Amino acid sequence: FDESQLQHINEQLAAMQPAQILEWARITFAGLFQETAFGPSGNVITDMLSAQGASVPVIFLDTLHHFDETLDLARRSQQRYGFELHVFKPDGCHTRADFVAKHGDELWKRDDVVYDYAVKVEPGRRAYEHLNVRAVLTGRRQSQKGDRASLQVVEIEKGTGLIKINPLASWSFQQVWSYLRANDVPYNALLDQGYKSVGDYHSTRAVKPGEDERAGRWADSQKTECGLHKDYFAMRAAFMARKNAQENNALAA
């Protein structure tokens, strides 16, 4: 799509319900996948696809730092819906111990850019290339605020051309929660403990009354995204710069 076509498409899709957007996406794109960490919005999308009799393959980026409840939900969701599940982990790592051996303890504290690239950006890019992904369904919503406040239904990733489709872009958390309960959709047990947005265990907490939905992610920092939905080439350049600096410092020591 060029910019004018993209604008026209978004104007048309903005008037559609999420289920209609999903139908459009399935008809329009070969190489369509759902990318999810099994958050509430992603679970809604999976259920809507199932209701249409469709099974879109799923990409799950296992950072090796997910809550046990998230991994349990991934298993329950796959058993419930029977989708084709593709799990990608940080390069060269199968367990959390492998990750620590390669990167050291608490990399997210020492350099969150390197951490994000290692657990999300690089595995994501590897998944897209390995699976010949043309477009992905995501659960991002405008009501999550931050960088997502101006979210469109369809976006094209700068540099890579990857198409990202956000069928729930206009939904609120309450709409998502109501759908989950009304349709008996599997969800993360942490939601019953005050969590609303669940990421890695070390950077996620329950949301306090009156706080925004994603306030529990990277609390007390300005960070709002993990890097997966940022400019890939900018993230890679930042990662390489830090890696080179670390290697130079090691040689100078």
Side-chain angles (χ1 to χ4, degrees):
F1 305 134
D2 60 29
E3 288 300 322
S4 62
Q5 290 173 319
L6 184 61
Q7 180 179 350
H8 176 72
I9 289 169
N10 275 314
E11 288 172 353
Q12 298 298 310
L13 294 178
M16 294 184 182
Q17 295 297 315
Q20 294 174 305
I21 296 171
L22 289 172
E23 290 180 359
W24 170 83
R26 292 193 295 107
I27 293 169
T28 304
F29 298 105
L32 176 68
F33 287 73
Q34 180 184 2
E35 186 167 44
T36 182
F38 299 95
S41 298
N43 299 335
V44 167
I45 291 170
T46 301
D47 189 78
M48 286 183 173
L49 288 168
S50 177
Q52 294 176 2
S55 182
V56 173
V58 171
I59 296 171
F60 174 47
L61 303 181
D62 183 354
T63 66
L64 303 175
H65 296 83
H66 284 296
F67 286 93
D68 289 341
E69 289 86 347
T70 301
L71 300 177
D72 175 67
L73 175 59
R75 289 188 290 269
R76 288 190 289 120
S77 185
Q78 204 278 332
Q79 290 171 358
R80 165 81 172 264
Y81 298 107
F83 49 72
E84 183 180 307
L85 180 61
H86 300 273
V87 180
F88 286 79
K89 299 181 179 183
D91 188 35
C93 302
H94 295 286
T95 66
R96 192 176 298 173
D98 291 339
F99 189 86
V100 172
K102 183 174 182 177
H103 297 284
D105 287 324
E106 299 185 330
L107 176 61
W108 61 88
K109 287 185 178 179
R110 292 182 283 109
D111 195 323
D112 68 334
V113 170
V114 173
Y115 178 79
D116 286 348
Y117 187 85
V119 303
K120 283 290 189 74
V121 180
E122 187 281 328
R125 180 51 43 190
R126 183 160 27 98
Y128 306 150
E129 294 177 354
H130 178 76
L131 299 170
N132 295 314
V133 178
R134 178 74 177 99
V136 293
L137 300 167
T138 92
R140 293 179 299 161
R141 293 179 285 105
Q142 296 163 357
S143 64
Q144 292 171 320
K145 301 184 179 180
D147 293 344
R148 304 183 180 193
S150 59
L151 190 70
Q152 299 293 307
V153 175
V154 179
E155 297 183 325
I156 301 177
E157 187 174 80
K158 182 180 178 181
T160 68
L162 178 70
I163 296 170
K164 296 186 176 183
I165 304 159
N166 312 299
L168 302 181
S170 64
W171 271 31
S172 66
F173 180 82
Q174 187 56 52
Q175 286 176 289
V176 170
W177 181 241
S178 295
Y179 183 98
L180 293 176
R181 300 308 298 268
N183 294 279
D184 193 27
V185 179
Y187 64 85
N188 197 314
L190 292 173
L191 268 66
D192 292 327
Q193 301 176 36
Y195 292 76
K196 287 188 175 179
S197 178
V198 181
D200 288 340
Y201 74 88
H202 52 72
S203 58
T204 308
R205 63 162 172 78
V207 175
K208 300 174 184 177
E211 286 188 322
D212 290 336
E213 176 183 342
R214 284 171 64 84
R217 302 287 297 277
W218 310 289
D220 304 318
S221 77
Q222 299 300 310
K223 187 173 179 179
T224 61
E225 291 287 350
C226 65
L228 188 63
H229 298 297
K230 293 186 176 181
D231 186 317
Y232 166 72
F233 292 104
M235 288 292 297
R236 187 177 188 279
F239 168 77
M240 293 304 298
R242 282 167 164 76
K243 182 179 179 182
N244 291 336
Q246 291 171 359
E247 291 175 349
N248 291 335
N249 289 337
L251 290 173

